[in-house]
């Protein structure tokens, strides 16, 4: 029989498994058992919706059979089984391409616990096996096939004999080495321990013939043995267990096993409800965003069970978009088993559960923020952008629920603060909540517009996320305080005399500014300001679109281009102000050149591109070379 080749990426992963120096090889059993359980789930679920499938729920089981003579460990299940094509497709290719990407990204971190924590599935069995045979018969078919592989150089598939539907995975264990004892996986005590450690919550019985030895009756030296079929697992799923008896470690293992994360969860929320609708839920907030979180490939959702039977792998209706990072399981007896996805969406009970979960999440996040600020800040670093998007999304429908979960960097505190904290220490007479936008907090701190506001002793929130300003504009106010962009809005910081003084100065120089504006077609107005302390120039915007928003929207891959209404402001107390006035009297051409240079400077400070860089550089050089 000709050997078939594995797909390239499967080969790589397999190589990693076979040559693994990974010490926690024992997790292979968890992986194989979890596949068996999934296969039973699948058949179980189908039997509920398809009357032609007649299976007795009570007979579902997973069986472990160690055979010391043959050095094999067999894991059998009576689940859905696999056809010839399925054997080929499922075991010849690796399903979770994510784990491979992950491996490549982390190639340099040799000791990272990818295998144990990521759950690489079936292939992990190659860590302990020299050969693997999978004999499977799909439910409803009378043909069985055997898939065999000794590793990297390929696999064979041939016809086989199997009495009933389901799958046998037969592992021929590797020879023992100095570092590893593979024979251990043939010992009852070891297998029992592993099932209890990793697979206790599997909802089908995991059975094994266990040999017991006791003294023969009436003798004190002669032993007799008998075997007994034992169920090794507790079968109560974790989410249905008494919280008090669950250790943090149990949650962590469950999470990384089920949701393929190499890190522990940041927060576990184990909750249940009774009343209009009953359910148990086990929710997890991850430590970090999955690698595809901010891409369109990411799918939100919770696993949905009805009384312990998995009915949907990922039910997206259970989570609002702004909580799409939450992972977990929901189990409710109040959901009909044989309902389709479309009908489920309309289900009243499902909606109630979703509402309940949302409220719970908000409550838990709020208390994390109050009681464990350090963790909350980590959370916000990973998922804050998602919450801010939630504020802005759907025309601000959810803004009131989310506004108190936000954090922004504060110019005063030099760390992130809540809006509540900001407002509570606002100065008397302060008109609003000041914010400034830019690429990094460091860059914002250096902008001219920020300088004056800080100088007057006001706190400013620094917005570095592209969605920040959209979120603040959607909020409009917080506790009736307006959000004011220091580079855009009139902050009204001046005294009446100061205002009068600038106004007069601008009127006196009206003709000069008209001329300067004509040199700059992009600009709505040129004027003197007293808002700059040491800087010569800055750009501010008027109207609804700020300069930051212009940058963000124009960077998006759409045809839509927008423009903020820009005003070039010149520091009235800077030496350059006098120079301009002088040039207007003596050399109008030079004034135009100066205007272009000043505008380019203002754009540079804002991080905006300059359309005519060669012209500007020549102009600057000419001025530099002037005697
Ligand atoms: P995963 O379980 O994450 O999909 P695996 O590599 O562990 O990845 O398994 C690949 C596929 O092989 C599974 O998705 C499933 O379709 C199939 N499979 C594995 N074990 C069994 C089994 N015992 N019964 C039926 N199908 C199985």
């Amino acid at each position: 029989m000709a050997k078939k080749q594995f797909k390239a990426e499967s080969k790589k992963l397999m190589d990693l498994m076979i040559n693994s120096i990974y010490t926690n090889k024992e997790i292979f059993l968890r992986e194989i058992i979890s596949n068996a359980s999934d296969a039973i789930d699948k058949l179980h679920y189908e039997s509920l919706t398809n009357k032609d499938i007649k299976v007795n729920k009570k007979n579902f089981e997973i069986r472990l059979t160690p055979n010391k003579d043959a050095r094999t460990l067999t894991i059998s299940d009576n689940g859905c089984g696999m056809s010839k094509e399925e054997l080929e497709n499922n075991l010849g290719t690796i399903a979770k391409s994510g784990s491979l990407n992950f491996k490549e990204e982390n190639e340099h971190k040799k000791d990272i616990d990818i295998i144990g924590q990521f759950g690489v599935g079936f292939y992990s069995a190659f860590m302990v096996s020299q050969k693997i045979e999978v004999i499977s018969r799909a439910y409803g078919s009378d043909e069985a096939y055997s898939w065999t592989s000794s590793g990297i150089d390929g696999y064979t598939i041939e016809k086989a004999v199997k009495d009933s539907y389901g799958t046998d995975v037969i592992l021929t264990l590797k020879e023992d080495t100095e570092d590893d004892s593979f024979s251990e996986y043939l010992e009852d005590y070891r297998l029992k321990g592993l099932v209890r450690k990793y697979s206790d919550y599997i909802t089908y019985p995991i059975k094994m013939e266990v040999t017991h030895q006791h003294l023969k009756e009436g003798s004190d030296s002669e032993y007799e043995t008998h075997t007994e079929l034992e169920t090794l697992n507790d079968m109560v799923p974790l989410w249905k267990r008494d919280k008090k008896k669950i250790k943090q470690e149990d949650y962590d293992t469950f999470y990384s096993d089920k949701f393929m994360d190499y890190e522990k969860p940041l927060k576990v929320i184990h909750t249940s409800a009774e009343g209009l609708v009953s359910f148990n839920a086990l929710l997890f907030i991850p430590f970090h965003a999955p690698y595809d979180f901010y891409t369109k490939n990411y799918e939100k959702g919770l696993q949905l069970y009805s009384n312990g039977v998995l009915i949907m792998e990922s039910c997206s209706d259970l989570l609002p978009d702004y909580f799409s990072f939450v992972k977990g399981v929901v189990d409710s007896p109040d959901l009909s088993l044989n309902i389709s996805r479309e009908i489920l969406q309309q289900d009243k009970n499902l909606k109630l559960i979703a509402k309940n979960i949302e409220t719970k999440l908000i409550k838990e996040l709020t208390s994390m923020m109050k009681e464990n600020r350090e963790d909350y800040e980590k959370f916000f670093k990973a998922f804050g952008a998602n919450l801010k998007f939630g504020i802005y999304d759907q025309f601000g429908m959810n803004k009131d629920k989310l506004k108190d979960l936000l954090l922004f960097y504060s110019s005063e505190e030099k760390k992130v603060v809540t809006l509540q904290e900001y407002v509570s220490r606002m100065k008397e007479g302060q008109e609003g909540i000041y914010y400034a936008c830019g690429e990094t907090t460091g860059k914002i701190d250096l902008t001219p517009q920020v300088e004056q506001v800080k100088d007057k002793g006001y706190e400013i929130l620094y917005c570095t996320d592209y969605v920040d300003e959209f979120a603040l504009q959607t909020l409009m106010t917080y506790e009736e305080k307006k959000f004011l962009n220091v580079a855009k809005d009139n902050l009204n910081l001046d005294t009446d005399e100061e205002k009068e003084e600038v106004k007069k100065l601008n009127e006196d120089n009206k003709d000069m500014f008209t001329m300067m504006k004509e040199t700059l077609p992009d600009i709505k107005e040129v004027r003197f300001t007293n808002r700059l302390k040491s800087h010569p120039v800055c750009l501010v915007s008027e109207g609804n679109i700020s300069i930051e928003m212009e940058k963000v929207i124009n960077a998006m891959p759409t045809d839509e281009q927008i423009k903020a209404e820009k005003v070039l402001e010149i520091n009235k107390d800077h030496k350059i102000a006098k120079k301009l006035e002088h040039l207007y009297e003596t050399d109008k051409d030079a004034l135009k050149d100066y205007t272009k240079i000043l505008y380019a400077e203002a754009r540079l400070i804002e991080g905006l591109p300059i359309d005519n860089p060669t012209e500007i550089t020549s102009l600057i050089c000419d001025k530099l070379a002037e005697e």
Side-chain angles (χ1 to χ4, degrees):
M1 161 122 332
K3 270 213 176 117
K4 301 198 180 183
Q5 292 302 308
F6 286 104
K7 296 264 159 61
E9 66 273 26
S10 306
K11 233 172 161 166
K12 269 203 251 173
L13 187 67
M14 203 172 341
D15 188 35
L16 179 72
M17 291 299 131
I18 293 168
N19 302 312
S20 171
I21 46 153
Y22 183 62
T23 47
N24 203 20
K25 297 189 165 74
E26 63 185 34
I27 57 96
F28 80 92
L29 190 63
R30 167 191 84 187
E31 299 292 314
I32 302 293
I33 288 178
S34 126
N35 280 349
S37 165
D38 290 348
I40 301 177
D41 264 344
K42 216 161 153 188
L43 184 60
H44 189 177
Y45 179 61
E46 274 166 25
S47 74
L48 298 165
T49 47
N50 180 347
K51 286 190 184 58
D52 295 336
I53 298 180
K54 291 188 180 60
V55 286
N56 187 347
K57 214 173 110 182
K58 289 200 185 74
N59 295 337
F60 283 133
E61 66 168 45
I62 297 162
R63 182 77 72 102
L64 305 185
T65 317
N67 179 335
K68 286 185 181 159
D69 298 330
R71 210 180 160 71
T72 56
L73 172 64
T74 303
I75 300 99
S76 312
D77 67 71
N78 48 6
C80 60
M82 283 177 275
S83 66
K84 187 179 177 201
E85 290 69 36
E86 283 167 335
L87 272 172
E88 178 126 11
N89 292 336
N90 296 342
L91 305 183
T93 359
I94 169 155
K96 283 192 254 7
S97 51
S99 45
L100 240 137
N101 291 346
F102 179 81
K103 150 89 170 110
E104 269 158 18
E105 276 166 30
N106 291 279
E107 199 95 53
H108 53 290
K109 295 186 216 154
K110 275 274 184 310
D111 54 347
I112 196 154
D113 204 0
I114 46 160
I115 301 167
Q117 309 273 12
F118 217 98
V120 281
F122 176 76
Y123 285 83
S124 62
F126 279 106
M127 291 195 293
V128 299
S129 316
Q130 44 178 304
K131 181 179 134 192
I132 300 179
E133 180 175 13
V134 181
I135 303 175
S136 196
R137 187 171 136 189
Y139 182 89
S141 160
D142 45 18
E143 285 181 346
Y145 287 90
S146 153
W147 177 101
T148 311
S149 171
S150 302
I152 218 89
D153 48 309
Y155 60 90
T156 55
I157 292 188
E158 51 195 303
K159 240 181 135 85
V161 183
K162 192 175 182 316
D163 291 343
S164 63
Y165 57 88
T167 303
D168 298 331
V169 177
I170 306 162
L171 311 177
T172 305
L173 298 174
K174 285 185 184 175
E175 295 303 330
D176 292 348
T177 66
E178 251 175 51
D179 298 330
D180 287 301
S181 159
F182 299 103
S183 312
E184 269 182 23
Y185 302 123
L186 299 168
E187 300 293 344
D188 291 355
Y189 79 93
R190 185 80 167 107
L191 294 168
K192 272 184 174 181
L194 287 178
V195 168
R196 225 165 282 136
K197 181 167 174 191
Y198 295 112
S199 311
D200 209 26
Y201 60 82
I202 294 281
T203 45
Y204 306 103
I206 302 168
K207 293 183 183 169
M208 183 168 72
E209 292 266 6
V210 179
T211 309
H212 294 281
Q213 209 177 36
H214 26 210
L215 282 173
K216 221 170 176 170
E217 240 182 60
S219 158
D220 53 9
S221 57
E222 259 184 282
Y223 285 88
E224 65 179 8
T225 56
H226 80 274
T227 54
E228 203 181 340
L229 191 60
E230 271 184 35
T231 297
L232 310 182
N233 56 329
D234 209 16
M235 286 196 284
V236 182
L238 194 59
W239 59 87
K240 282 199 175 168
R241 287 199 203 162
D242 181 0
K243 271 200 248 183
K244 285 187 227 87
K245 295 199 180 121
I246 303 178
K247 294 195 285 286
Q248 184 59 38
E249 196 187 312
D250 297 331
Y251 286 128
D252 293 348
T253 317
F254 178 86
Y255 168 76
S256 48
D257 180 15
K258 217 173 183 88
F259 301 106
M260 297 185 285
D261 194 343
Y262 59 92
E263 244 180 317
K264 289 176 186 168
L266 178 64
K267 173 111 191 130
V268 180
I269 303 164
H270 189 170
T271 180
S272 60
E274 262 161 62
L276 282 178
V277 60
S278 320
F279 69 91
N280 290 297
L282 198 47
L283 309 169
F284 300 91
I285 297 175
F287 231 102
H288 59 139
Y291 69 98
D292 60 349
F293 185 65
Y294 288 104
T295 72
K296 65 176 192 319
N297 295 334
Y298 181 83
E299 279 176 35
K300 63 163 183 167
L302 299 175
Q303 275 197 340
L304 186 60
Y305 287 77
S306 170
N307 252 343
V309 182
L310 180 69
I311 54 174
M312 202 182 283
E313 189 59 50
S314 174
C315 179
S316 61
D317 296 318
L318 284 169
L319 288 175
D321 281 341
Y322 42 88
F323 288 151
S324 59
F325 49 82
V326 176
K327 301 277 182 200
V329 175
V330 174
D331 190 349
S332 168
D334 300 331
L335 294 170
S336 154
L337 272 174
N338 42 8
I339 52 181
S340 70
R341 231 164 243 265
E342 292 69 36
I343 298 170
L344 192 62
Q345 275 178 351
Q346 308 302 323
D347 191 277
K348 201 171 80 264
N349 287 337
L350 191 84
K351 285 189 177 146
L352 273 174
I353 297 174
K355 189 91 215 86
N356 212 312
I357 286 177
E358 181 187 356
T359 311
K360 180 76 186 165
L361 284 168
I362 292 175
K363 203 171 134 227
E364 289 286 335
L365 286 171
T366 308
S367 75
M368 195 204 300
M369 180 164 78
K370 295 205 171 111
E371 283 147 31
N372 191 346
R373 189 62 172 256
E374 205 181 314
D375 272 4
Y376 190 79
E377 284 177 17
K378 280 185 203 149
F379 156 76
F380 199 80
K381 213 169 170 186
F383 302 110
N386 212 54
L387 298 187
K388 290 185 264 191
F389 187 73
I391 290 208
Y392 155 77
D393 199 24
Q394 294 186 295
F395 310 102
M397 196 171 93
N398 300 298
K399 64 181 182 184
D400 288 330
K401 289 185 220 164
L402 300 175
K403 63 183 183 213
D404 283 311
L405 294 175
L406 299 183
L407 294 178
F408 293 96
Y409 182 88
S410 151
S411 61
E412 281 282 301
E413 301 289 307
K414 310 270 183 252
K415 61 175 188 178
V416 286
V417 301
T418 64
L419 295 175
Q420 177 57 49
E421 286 158 359
Y422 182 101
V423 168
S424 70
R425 52 176 174 249
M426 264 170 75
K427 297 202 159 180
E428 189 126 346
Q430 187 179 338
E431 293 211 342
I433 303 172
Y434 299 137
Y435 70 92
C437 303
E439 225 175 298
T440 61
T441 53
K443 281 192 186 173
I444 298 175
D445 212 38
L446 293 174
T447 53
Q449 298 93 328
V450 159
E451 195 180 18
Q452 185 209 23
V453 185
K454 269 204 326 197
D455 224 53
K456 296 214 158 141
Y458 294 114
E459 181 174 7
I460 309 174
L461 300 177
Y462 288 180
C463 298
T464 49
D465 243 333
Y466 79 93
V467 47
D468 283 345
E469 200 173 7
F470 295 89
L472 294 185
Q473 290 218 338
T474 311
L475 280 176
M476 287 189 296
T477 58
Y478 181 86
E479 292 193 352
E480 289 164 24
K481 309 288 181 208
K482 267 193 179 161
F483 288 99
L484 298 172
N485 184 338
V486 300
K488 176 165 136 333
D489 297 304
N490 181 4
L491 305 188
N492 228 349
L493 297 179
D494 301 338
T495 60
D496 288 344
E497 294 88 80
E498 284 168 333
K499 276 187 224 161
E500 229 9 79
E501 191 197 350
V502 184
K503 198 171 157 207
K504 183 163 182 312
L505 198 62
N506 279 324
E507 268 161 23
D508 293 348
N509 289 289
K510 210 167 121 230
D511 296 339
M512 173 181 84
F513 289 133
T514 307
M515 186 175 178
M516 289 174 80
K517 189 185 118 53
E518 278 162 11
T519 319
L520 305 171
D522 268 8
I523 285 288
K524 187 176 169 245
E525 201 185 326
V526 183
R527 65 185 174 215
F528 282 140
T529 182
N530 59 0
R531 77 158 98 197
L532 299 172
K533 209 173 131 237
S534 54
H535 291 76
V537 284
C538 77
L539 270 187
V540 295
S541 62
E542 290 185 344
N544 287 329
I545 302 163
S546 74
I547 292 170
E548 250 344 271
M549 288 169 117
E550 172 184 316
K551 276 195 262 177
V552 168
I553 294 191
N554 292 349
M556 288 180 182
T558 60
D559 291 339
E560 198 181 340
Q561 294 282 306
I562 60 159
K563 259 196 161 57
E565 280 185 77
K566 299 184 197 71
V567 175
L568 177 63
E569 290 196 337
I570 296 160
N571 185 348
K572 74 171 181 41
D573 299 320
H574 195 279
K575 281 185 288 197
I576 196 71
K578 287 276 154 305
K579 175 87 184 184
L580 294 174
E581 285 173 36
H582 176 69
L583 287 176
Y584 182 66
E585 300 301 332
T586 57
D587 185 350
K588 295 209 165 47
D589 283 337
L591 176 67
K592 286 182 189 164
D593 290 347
Y594 273 68
T595 306
K596 285 183 188 168
I597 295 173
L598 288 176
Y599 178 50
E601 284 182 2
R603 287 186 72 93
L604 268 179
I605 295 173
E606 278 305 320
L608 288 169
I610 293 167
D611 295 336
N612 49 348
T614 43
E615 184 190 355
I616 298 296
T617 40
S618 316
L619 282 176
I620 294 174
C621 271
D622 289 347
K623 301 293 161 221
L624 290 177
E626 263 171 25
E627 293 287 323

